[in-house]
Amino acid sequence: MNGTTVLRYALGALGLVLIGVGAGQLALVPEAGAVALWLAGALVLHDAVIAPLVLAAGLLVAAAPARGVLRGALVTGGALVLITLPLLVRPGAPPNPSALPLPYVRNLLLVLAAVALAALLLTAVGAWRRRARERGEERQERGKGDDGGGERDKRDEGDEGGERGEDDGG
């Protein structure tokens, strides 16, 4: 066995141990059925809704010119929504008034708008830099063609003149 295989088996064993610890902790919870139902619902939600949406977004983004920035914005926005969603959809008042003291829906929308604005700015800066680089390359190509060709012509004329001068003098 090589090191990678040993590491895989060790991580797999650690994962099984942690699953056992979680199951043991779940057995101690008085509402274990409700927690298990919530976990099953989260699994179904992930496999039936979230994963297909992520795959569809990946297919749509794959053809975009700034797909790296767009992927980053989508991952960031998705993580923000997933983190705040349980707090936002919780029914009733929070048990602790300091748990949700601010308007979180508005704040989430503001943060998502900031992520979208940052993505737009990064895309615009990238496009601007790409155009500037292409213009610089075009100028260099034009400059090489004009200067290089002109220098060659002058050298050729000078060589011919030198050859003529040598012929005339010899």
Side-chain angles (χ1 to χ4, degrees), residues 28-89:
L28 298 175
V29 173
E31 302 165 353
V35 173
L37 182 65
W38 185 89
L39 289 172
L43 197 68
V44 169
L45 176 70
H46 174 270
D47 290 351
V49 177
I50 296 172
L53 284 175
V54 168
L55 291 173
L59 287 174
L60 292 173
V61 169
R67 63 182 164 267
V69 173
L70 193 52
R71 283 180 193 155
L74 288 173
V75 167
T76 302
L80 287 168
V81 169
L82 287 176
I83 289 169
T84 57
L85 197 59
L87 295 172
L88 298 176
V89 297

Side-chain angles (χ1 to χ4, degrees), residues 20 24 31 34 37-38 42-43 49 73 80 100 102-103 106 133-134 150 155 158 165 167-169:
E31 302 165 353
L37 182 65
W38 185 89
L43 197 68
V49 177
L80 287 168
L100 297 173
L102 301 172
R106 184 201 68 184
R133 186 176 42 236
E134 289 171 359
R155 275 185 261 134
D167 288 336
D168 291 339

Side-chain angles (χ1 to χ4, degrees), residues 131-143:
R131 276 191 230 121
R133 186 176 42 236
E134 289 171 359
R135 286 183 193 141
E137 289 172 359
E138 287 175 7
R139 287 181 188 143
Q140 284 180 348
E141 289 299 319
R142 279 187 277 159

